[in-house]
Amino acid sequence: MKKKLGFWIVEEQLPFVFPLFGLAVLWFASGWAQIAELLQRPNYYVVGNYSQNDQYLHAAVYIFLFALVVLGAVTVIGKRIARGLPESRIAKSARGFTTLFAIFALILGVIFGFATFMSGYRANQGTELLRIFSVYVPILLDAALLVAVIIFSFVAKGEGEEDE
């Protein structure tokens, strides 16, 4: 008999919900990041008043990094739940689905790291402190996220788990 966790969620379906929640957070955070970037540059669209002098900390970088952390964390949680399910077709599908989302989170993290590094030329106009917090801190946090997702998704096993 299947154990119901809510109105419509069955225990075997729970690993599918976590990565999809992370994807929804990523989608909303992308919109928030765009809005934050527009609000930080109020004179961007004024004709003749355009300036390349971006001497401020971009909130969009940290909003998107937060979304990547949420996506990575909920994917790892979903993968752990999928590993603990009894052997069935839906459990096998859940393990594959969460593995796919873990790889997706890693790819997005690598793209974010490269994009943040390549956008570092804009921070050269500001102070050293601005450069540290707009380029180097997000890259280090992204690298820590990537290592954590790799370790908790693919390397570390739970209690009683054996290699497949």
Side-chain angles (χ1 to χ4, degrees):
M1 182 170 172
K2 295 181 181 179
K3 182 179 173 187
K4 286 203 171 224
L5 298 175
F7 179 68
W8 57 274
I9 297 177
V10 181
E11 184 181 23
E12 292 177 334
Q13 297 170 341
L14 195 59
F16 294 102
V17 174
F18 278 100
L20 292 176
F21 171 75
L23 187 63
V25 169
L26 181 70
W27 185 73
F28 280 112
S30 297
W32 293 335
Q34 293 298 318
I35 291 170
E37 198 60 31
L38 287 174
L39 292 176
Q40 281 186 321
R41 292 190 278 181
N43 295 329
Y44 182 72
Y45 290 108
V46 176
V47 177
N49 201 10
Y50 178 70
S51 174
Q52 286 286 341
N53 196 3
D54 291 341
Q55 292 188 7
Y56 58 89
L57 186 63
H58 295 270
V61 173
Y62 287 98
I63 292 171
F64 198 73
L65 182 64
F66 169 75
L68 286 176
V69 168
V70 170
L71 178 65
V74 296
T75 300
V76 168
I77 291 170
K79 192 158 177 59
R80 290 290 173 122
I81 292 171
R83 284 181 183 165
L85 291 177
E87 194 61 37
S88 67
R89 288 179 64 190
I90 195 165
K92 200 172 191 179
S93 297
R95 285 191 291 273
F97 186 74
T98 54
T99 300
L100 179 69
F101 260 87
I103 294 170
F104 178 66
L106 291 172
I107 290 171
L108 283 179
V110 168
I111 291 172
F112 173 79
F114 280 130
T116 304
F117 178 72
M118 296 305 287
S119 69
Y121 72 91
R122 290 188 303 182
N124 288 335
Q125 300 169 353
T127 64
E128 287 80 16
L129 190 63
L130 178 66
R131 190 176 316 134
I132 287 171
F133 282 104
S134 63
V135 178
Y136 302 119
V137 170
I139 289 174
L140 290 175
L141 292 174
D142 182 53
L145 169 70
L146 294 176
V147 169
V149 169
I150 289 171
I151 288 174
F152 290 120
S153 291
F154 301 110
V155 178
K157 304 286 184 196
E159 290 185 27
E161 288 186 30
E162 296 182 16
D163 290 331
E164 295 178 6

